[in-house]
Amino acid sequence: MSVITIERKVLEKNEQLAQNNREVFSRHGILALNFVSSPGAGKTTILERTFQELRGSMKIAVIEGDVQTDLDAQRVAKYGVSVVQIVTLGGCHLDAKLVQDAMANLELKGLDLLFIENVGNLVCPANYDLGEALKVVVLSTTEGDDKPLKYPAMFLNSSILIINKIDLIPYLRCDLNVLKNNALQINPALRVFEVSCFTGAGIPEWCDWLRKKDPSGL
Amino acid sequence: MHELGIAENILQIVRQSVPENLAGDVRAIRLRVGQLSGIVPDSLSFCFGVIANETAMKQASLAIEQVPIVSKCRDCRHQFQMDDFAFSCPACQSVQLDLISGRELEVVEIELAEEEDKVP
């Protein structure tokens, strides 16, 4: 046997493109956030609430990633934000190239915030850098307090945890403290926001953090 | 479950690294796959086999070295392997840890058959 030594990262192409995206965001002063969660955790509803709260004070765009349909793009477009829909046609995650292509359809000048709503999936999106400043993982109380332990990579790679649907706690066997402890056991640096999109609880605190546009200020 | 996409990336890297006329000689592709990479080795090997079979690299298979999650404590400098995703130092309980390994997803080397290895 003869051997060719390579030592190359399998995802090097994605990492290069993600770095290009990051430089574009930085040049335009855009805070880009990669929203990840399982399907139905409430990513889109949190975005709707966020747009209501920040309307008129920040210029916002959204890249929506879904396996099928532009239903999410239709939902968020009502709030006067720029939106580009990516339909992955079966793909389980967004990658940096898809985001780069979507960015070509956005007016980046003057933009404050870019939300990239990933495909609902707690596994695959964990390992694809899109060029975001940080990942925001959304976990809803209905999913159960054990999920951080079951999907550790996602919680390890995220910087912010939004716990959604806290209004449902009285009806569930989900212990908020257990959920938080499980998440912080995986990643003690996680900044946690507890919200209910139904009652609006916690949304102002989350939006105050966004207004600072300072990803290092966790 | 994106092993098929990862397998395609691996095939592309091998294509870029091996001269076209030697593609049929590729026997093994050595990979380092960390436990935090989100990759299931068996699934990756299966997907690679399916797509490699369509190319000159029919006889190639993946040799996957799984890399454990290893952390080093910033407070007491203790280095340890993590088996249960409990991200705190077993020696001093500090949570100030640096990840030493576990995120790898790398092509390390490619093994080619030489004349004497080939079945006539």
Side-chain angles (χ1 to χ4, degrees):
Chain A
M1 289 278 175
S2 67
V3 171
I4 304 175
T5 303
I6 305 205
E7 298 281 353
R8 277 171 69 177
K9 288 186 177 179
V10 175
L11 289 174
E12 63 182 9
K13 184 127 190 272
N14 186 72
E15 287 177 20
Q16 284 159 10
L17 291 168
Q19 197 49 39
N20 294 348
N21 292 349
R22 189 166 280 119
E23 280 158 22
V24 172
F25 298 143
S26 161
R27 198 159 57 238
H28 288 89
I30 299 168
L31 174 60
L33 302 175
N34 181 358
F35 259 58
V36 291
S37 80
S38 60
K43 294 186 297 299
T44 313
T45 312
I46 290 172
L47 292 183
E48 289 180 292
R49 277 286 192 169
T50 302
F51 302 154
Q52 284 172 341
E53 183 87 9
L54 296 178
R55 186 173 249 174
S57 65
M58 296 184 97
K59 201 171 164 214
I60 300 172
V62 189
I63 294 174
E64 286 287 352
D66 282 291
V67 173
Q68 284 290 356
T69 81
D70 64 350
L71 294 171
D72 281 358
Q74 292 176 33
R75 273 172 67 184
V76 300
K78 290 178 199 148
Y79 299 89
V81 299
S82 313
V83 53
V84 178
Q85 176 79 50
I86 300 172
V87 178
T88 64
L89 298 174
C92 52
H93 60 273
L94 296 182
D95 62 37
K97 174 72 167 66
L98 289 170
V99 170
Q100 182 189 54
D101 293 347
M103 283 158 63
N105 296 309
L106 283 175
E107 174 64 49
L108 298 173
K109 207 169 162 223
L111 210 57
D112 292 303
L113 299 175
L114 173 65
F115 294 95
I116 306 167
E117 185 178 340
N118 220 310
V119 177
N121 177 342
L122 274 179
V123 183
C124 310
N127 297 301
Y128 285 82
D129 185 6
L130 307 179
E132 72 271 6
L134 39 86
K135 281 190 180 68
V136 179
V137 58
V138 178
L139 183 64
S140 60
T141 55
T142 50
E143 295 166 67
D145 47 33
D146 55 352
K147 290 303 167 291
L149 303 179
K150 288 187 169 180
Y151 301 92
M154 190 62 95
F155 291 83
L156 184 66
N157 293 349
S158 296
S159 305
I160 291 180
L161 164 63
I162 300 182
I163 304 172
N164 191 23
K165 311 186 191 178
I166 55 166
D167 53 302
L168 295 179
I169 290 269
Y171 313 102
L172 303 171
R173 288 196 197 101
C174 172
D175 186 320
L176 198 54
N177 284 325
V178 170
L179 191 162
K180 274 192 282 189
N181 286 340
N182 284 343
L184 292 170
Q185 177 194 328
I186 306 282
N187 182 358
L190 267 179
R191 168 78 188 265
V192 182
F193 293 95
E194 297 167 26
V195 311
S196 161
C197 292
F198 188 68
T199 67
I203 297 293
E205 290 80 4
W206 156 244
C207 289
D208 282 345
W209 182 83
L210 289 172
R211 281 191 193 94
K212 290 182 200 138
K213 268 182 77 173
D214 177 14
S216 60
L218 288 171
Chain B
M1 288 303 290
H2 52 279
E3 278 78 359
L4 185 58
I6 297 291
E8 282 167 350
N9 288 352
I10 293 167
L11 201 61
Q12 196 179 7
I13 288 174
V14 176
R15 277 211 184 98
Q16 290 165 357
S17 313
V18 177
E20 214 175 317
N21 60 324
L22 296 180
D25 297 341
V26 176
R27 291 292 179 272
I29 299 151
R30 299 206 166 276
L31 303 176
R32 250 195 310 260
V33 175
Q35 281 183 349
L36 279 170
S37 68
I39 295 299
V40 180
D42 285 350
S43 171
L44 182 60
S45 291
F46 173 77
C47 291
F48 182 82
V50 170
I51 58 170
N53 207 30
E54 308 281 306
T55 71
M57 284 182 250
K58 280 183 181 42
Q59 297 185 67
S61 62
L62 301 182
I64 299 177
E65 178 202 344
Q66 284 191 273
V67 183
I69 306 168
V70 174
S71 276
K72 187 169 187 177
C73 176
R74 279 188 212 167
D75 291 327
C76 76
R77 315 306 294 164
H78 178 55
Q79 190 166 315
F80 59 99
Q81 187 174 322
M82 224 180 267
D83 296 318
D84 56 359
F85 294 103
F87 285 77
S88 65
C89 174
C92 75
Q93 277 72 54
S94 168
V95 292
Q96 302 294 321
L97 307 177
D98 289 317
L99 204 61
I100 305 290
S101 72
R103 290 193 194 275
E104 295 78 359
L105 184 51
E106 298 157 0
V107 181
V108 183
E109 56 185 34
I110 300 169
E111 287 181 9
L112 302 175
E114 284 173 343
E115 285 310 314
E116 64 268 27
D117 306 322
K118 290 180 191 167
V119 183

